[in-house]
Amino acid sequence: MNARADVSGALVCRQDVYLQLLEGPADTVLETYARIRRDDRHTNPTILTSRAVSARLFGDWSMLHDPATSWMWSPEEIADGALERASATEAIAAFEALGAKVATSAPTCPR
Ligand SMILES: Cc1cc2nc3c(=O)[nH]c(=O)nc-3n(C[C@H](O)[C@H](O)[C@H](O)COP(=O)(O)O)c2cc1C
């Protein structure tokens, strides 16, 4: 679905946390988010930040999956509400770090 919509991104997912970055043309990113919202497997999806960018971080992936083994918040911090308190800047910084990490390694799941 994402490749067709020219959407790329990354999904960081662990038992206790889902954090997803969608990038692409504004209209198809919004449509993708609308589909995700409609899906009742999600509870309380929230947009942390939305902005125009000049380049993609995950242009080679329709959706990079990161199991968050090296995630910035521990399960204890997540349980304590770290994600709710996280600023947009922190979330972007986390994705930028992930983007830099994958840019220097061979793609495992190219689109
Ligand atoms: C964790 C998670 C991440 C998802 N990410 C995407 C995504 O990036 N793009 C997408 O099209 N659907 C994604 N989906 C699936 C959508 O929620 C939805 O089921 C799908 O787009 C079909 O929607 P529709 O039946 O309303 O057209 C995701 C689902 C889950 C559970």
Side-chain angles (χ1 to χ4, degrees), residues 1-2 18 20 22 32 35-36 38-39 41-42 63:
M1 191 90 69
N2 289 356
Y18 281 83
Q20 185 169 30
L22 298 170
T32 301
R35 274 202 306 277
I36 291 171
R38 271 200 303 272
D39 183 341
R41 285 173 296 173
H42 300 123
M63 191 53 59

Side-chain angles (χ1 to χ4, degrees), residues 24-111:
D27 55 345
T28 58
V29 165
L30 288 174
E31 282 163 21
T32 301
Y33 182 63
R35 274 202 306 277
I36 291 171
R37 276 202 81 91
R38 271 200 303 272
D39 183 341
D40 61 13
R41 285 173 296 173
H42 300 123
T43 44
N44 200 19
T46 308
I47 298 180
L48 286 177
T49 181
S50 170
R51 61 177 197 176
V53 293
S54 52
R56 294 174 190 244
L57 286 172
F58 302 99
D60 291 338
W61 284 269
S62 55
M63 191 53 59
L64 172 76
H65 178 249
D66 185 275
T69 45
S70 56
W71 192 236
M72 59 194 293
W73 297 291
S74 67
E76 292 72 28
E77 287 167 323
I78 294 288
D80 191 42
L83 206 51
E84 289 73 19
R85 286 193 308 272
S87 68
T89 313
E90 279 179 300
I92 293 291
F95 281 116
E96 282 172 351
L98 181 60
K101 194 172 88 182
V102 297
T104 56
S105 60
T108 51
C109 184
R111 66 171 170 167

